[in-house]
Amino acid sequence: MKKFVITIITILVLCAGLGYGSHELTKSTGDSGSKVLNLYNWGDYIDPTLLTKFQKETGYHVNVETFDSNEAMYTKIKQGGTSYDLTVPSDYMVQKMKADHMLIPLDKSKLTGMQNYGSSFMNKSFDPGNRYSIPYFWGTLGIIYNDQDVKPGSLEHWNQLWRPRYKDGIMLIDSARDIMGFSLISLGKSVNTTKTANLLAARNKLNRLSPNVKAVVADEIKMYMAEGEAPVAVDWSGEASEMMSQNSHLHYVVPTEGSNMWFDNLVIPKTAKHFKAIYAFLNFMNKPENAAQNAKYIGYSTPNNQALKLLPKSVRNDKQFYPPQKVLDRLQVYRNLSPTKVQQYNDLYLEFKMHH
């Protein structure tokens, strides 16, 4: 989940139970016939009451272990040692895991409810035909502003961030791909470009943004914006939702010229053992009522169109988090780039941060 960081409390709990949890997980995956499902998920990324409901309905107990980055998840599964039945990589990581032969194709004959998903969220470039993945949540990168400092309607495009009026007023999420990405879009370029000239131009334009940048921060950006520390931020829709729940003066906008559209997805890693439990869980989560309950708990956008119909009108009609089709059509999904190009993105982004 591109967008989530495990809370300090969760970290402490995990640390305290690491030895026991690892033992229990290994033990439970040792018997392919046992009534368990081992889910490797982002922290606090499923409604716990749904897990209880699933166990009551099916008899399968769900063991949950968490990670805080796609890379940490990838490394642990690659190294082996513990068998997970399902995990939740973001778009580009699905592509990477597929290329590295770490995923098992979905058996579509065992799936129900796939027709509930919107066509805008299926058959994406990272997994054509959804051979390996089912969309779990989706979101965007956009601009958050405080209406006490910024007039509504006056900040709707990436290029407007460079206006002198925002001097020392913008917070940026600390993410190389995303920050380079919106600079590329402002230049009319793809967020997946591999042309050095385009990347240099994006870095140079970011350098010109430096006088307006108050800080480049990580998860604490939510607290800062909720407390009114800056009038403007660039961050993900999920984090924007959390900020807005704490400060009614905050608003979120996806520039109409385009942005990133991210997906988190359910996949079956190569080490999976409990296939009856896996398909029981996938079908359970495909049900509109369960997907809607999960979306209410997490606060992120659901790709399940039938679940969307069950959400409050104020949610399903919120164009900040469910933008119209004309905006969706302009969104770009990150592709997995070569290690060399990933390093180039990271290096140029670091140069911008040092320049700032």
Side-chain angles (χ1 to χ4, degrees), residues 141-143 156-158 185 253-259 327 330-331:
L141 180 77
I143 299 169
E156 297 184 334
H157 302 285
W158 293 118
I185 290 174
V253 60
V254 180
T256 54
E257 61 270 25
S259 186
V327 175
R330 291 180 173 269
L331 299 178

Side-chain angles (χ1 to χ4, degrees), residues 26 37 56 68-69 79 124 171 194 197-198 242 246 264 304 311:
T26 302
L37 175 78
K56 287 181 178 179
D68 62 1
S69 73
Q79 289 176 342
K124 308 306 289 187
M171 288 195 172
T194 56
N198 291 343
E242 292 184 50
Q246 300 174 53
D264 290 328
N304 188 315
L311 294 176

Side-chain angles (χ1 to χ4, degrees), residues 143-157 160-161 163-171 212 225 228-234 247-253 320:
I143 299 169
I144 302 102
Y145 68 87
N146 190 314
D147 63 23
Q148 292 181 309
D149 305 294
V150 179
K151 182 180 178 181
S154 67
L155 182 53
E156 297 184 334
H157 302 285
Q160 292 172 333
L161 293 173
R163 288 175 172 174
R165 72 179 67 170
Y166 301 122
K167 182 178 180 180
D168 196 34
I170 301 174
M171 288 195 172
N212 289 4
M225 292 302 295
E229 293 293 327
V232 178
V234 174
N247 186 333
S248 62
H249 292 288
L250 297 178
H251 307 270
Y252 181 74
V253 60
Q320 297 173 105

Side-chain angles (χ1 to χ4, degrees), residues 35-91:
K35 298 282 286 185
V36 298
L37 175 78
N38 297 315
L39 174 63
Y40 196 27
N41 199 2
W42 299 86
D44 195 26
Y45 206 26
I46 189 167
D47 184 345
T49 63
L50 278 175
L51 299 180
T52 302
K53 180 181 178 183
F54 175 72
Q55 183 171 346
K56 287 181 178 179
E57 288 187 6
T58 66
Y60 293 111
H61 175 73
V62 182
N63 296 317
V64 180
E65 197 168 311
T66 60
F67 56 86
D68 62 1
S69 73
N70 279 290
E71 287 67 29
M73 176 273 298
Y74 172 90
T75 299
K76 187 159 188 181
I77 291 178
K78 184 79 170 176
Q79 289 176 342
T82 304
S83 297
Y84 299 112
D85 296 310
L86 288 168
T87 190
V88 193
S90 299
D91 34 56

Side-chain angles (χ1 to χ4, degrees), residues 9 25 34 156 200 204 236 260 286 290 298 317 337 350:
I9 293 176
L25 189 57
S34 57
E156 297 184 334
L200 289 172
N204 291 341
W236 305 297
N260 166 240
N286 284 349
N290 295 330
I298 301 298
N317 292 338
L337 302 177
L350 181 59

Side-chain angles (χ1 to χ4, degrees), residues 92 175-182 191-193 333-337 342 345-346 349:
Y92 73 95
S175 170
R177 197 78 186 269
D178 291 299
I179 304 307
M180 287 288 289
F182 83 73
V191 297
N192 295 302
T193 186
V333 177
Y334 293 138
R335 292 199 299 267
N336 184 42
L337 302 177
V342 170
Y345 270 81
N346 291 339
Y349 172 66

